[in-house]
Amino acid sequence: MGDLNNYRHARQLIKLAGLNLVENSSGTRKGQTRISKRGRAKLRCAHFRVALILVARTQEFSILHHYYTTRTNNPLKGKQSLVAICCRLLRIIFALARKGMAYNRDLVLPESHPALVHAGPVRPVAKVAA
């Protein structure tokens, strides 16, 4: 990705990874919306693998994945949810690098986020052995 100060917005990183959404439509026909895959494949693959680990091992991303896949309005499939988490991760990395902040799990999933209301009781996630 290089120096993150070279980018003005996190959307540029998402596009660099090829995770931006495109719609295949023509005229009156509306096609499916998919990720473009026009960016760097290794970057996209690395973020997808990191998203898998984050969903499996961290509470905030596990709650987000559960919310994305079970919400009543526009529920996502499993991989669609992971791609959304990849995009969220890129935005978090961009913000942390630009602002010089440390990671704070409360900023990833604030108290007012609908995922926390939707989740109900928080389920424990697997702990990583250090």
Side-chain angles (χ1 to χ4, degrees):
M1 293 188 318
D3 186 14
L4 295 181
N5 290 322
N6 294 334
Y7 302 99
R8 281 188 258 150
H9 201 274
R11 284 182 298 216
Q12 292 175 315
L13 288 177
I14 292 171
K15 210 165 184 182
L16 178 71
L19 292 170
N20 55 317
L21 298 177
V22 293
E23 182 180 302
N24 185 13
S25 60
S26 175
T28 59
R29 185 185 69 80
K30 183 176 177 180
Q32 287 185 328
T33 303
R34 299 176 181 212
I35 61 171
S36 69
K37 294 187 181 181
R38 285 191 166 217
R40 297 184 179 170
K42 290 182 180 180
L43 179 62
R44 187 170 54 253
C45 180
H47 275 88
F48 188 80
R49 290 181 182 183
V50 168
L52 284 172
I53 293 169
L54 286 174
V55 167
R57 305 234 172 140
T58 63
Q59 191 172 20
E60 57 271 21
F61 287 100
S62 176
I63 291 171
L64 267 176
H65 179 66
H66 179 72
Y67 170 69
Y68 287 151
T69 55
T70 60
R71 62 188 177 187
T72 56
N73 186 16
N74 189 23
L76 300 177
K77 295 178 183 170
K79 280 192 180 180
Q80 289 174 330
S81 171
L82 290 173
V83 168
I85 288 174
C86 287
C87 293
R88 189 176 189 105
L89 179 62
L90 279 169
R91 287 190 295 270
I92 290 168
I93 290 170
F94 181 78
L96 293 179
R98 289 291 289 243
K99 294 178 182 179
M101 296 172 53
Y103 178 78
N104 184 357
R105 67 187 303 177
D106 296 329
L107 294 176
V108 174
L109 200 61
E111 294 292 326
S112 62
H113 196 279
L116 291 176
V117 176
H118 185 265
V122 178
R123 64 183 178 136
V125 292
K127 296 291 181 187
V128 179

